Amino acid sequence: MLRLSPIILAVVAYAAPAHAVDSCAATIPPEAAAKAKAFLDLLVANKGAEAVSGVLDANPIWSAKIGAKEQMIGQIDAATKAYGKPTKWEAVCGDAVGTMAFREYYLVQYHDVITRWEFDFARTATGWQIGYFGFNDQIPTWF
């Protein structure tokens, strides 16, 4: 009969990959997280322009900013050309400021690099809105 010591079981349990989305479930309201997840799913499906439109068109503040959509689509296109196609994403926990503002981070795996996306959410009278979103590839600034 094969017996595993408690230490080996602990190492195996620790080494098992954690599902990052579940670790952040308590920090961000589900309706806010759904907005970031919808964006990232479109990004990985190589539909960056549609992802950006979904965020900006749904928010009156963003939709009033002339050129914001074109600028963000250009940055996403440039990242895809430089890094390859995005292939997957995972949530990593962020920060809260009271109950009306959350910041969440998501890692996006491109063919050649990982980028970190930041989504800042604000609770408004009409529900959760993405007040800011953007990405960077400067790994040393993430820690």
Side-chain angles (χ1 to χ4, degrees):
M1 178 168 137
L2 179 63
R3 295 193 58 168
L4 296 175
S5 76
I7 293 174
I8 291 174
L9 289 174
V11 169
V12 170
Y14 180 77
H19 195 290
V21 174
D22 292 340
S23 68
C24 293
T27 63
I28 184 169
E31 59 273 18
K35 292 176 182 282
K37 291 174 184 177
F39 176 92
L40 294 165
D41 285 343
L42 286 169
L43 185 69
V44 168
N46 211 28
K47 297 179 180 180
E50 187 177 331
V52 171
S53 292
V55 170
L56 299 187
D57 294 346
N59 185 324
I61 303 252
W62 278 110
S63 59
K65 292 184 179 184
I66 298 170
K69 184 186 296 188
E70 294 78 13
Q71 181 181 13
M72 181 55 87
I73 291 169
Q75 290 176 5
I76 290 172
D77 289 345
T80 301
K81 286 177 186 171
Y83 309 143
K85 182 185 178 308
T87 57
K88 61 184 174 180
W89 61 269
E90 70 179 19
V92 292
C93 291
D95 303 310
V97 178
T99 60
M100 294 185 280
F102 288 90
R103 172 175 292 152
E104 286 291 312
Y105 295 106
Y106 297 82
L107 300 178
V108 174
Q109 175 70 63
Y110 288 77
H111 185 268
D112 296 325
V113 300
I114 295 171
T115 60
R116 184 179 74 170
W117 281 81
E118 175 183 323
F119 291 85
D120 295 349
F121 299 92
R123 184 171 31 196
T124 69
T126 59
W128 288 97
Q129 296 289 334
I130 296 174
Y132 168 82
F133 68 112
F135 69 96
N136 79 53
D137 61 0
Q138 303 300 308
I139 294 174
T141 67
W142 304 351
F143 300 95

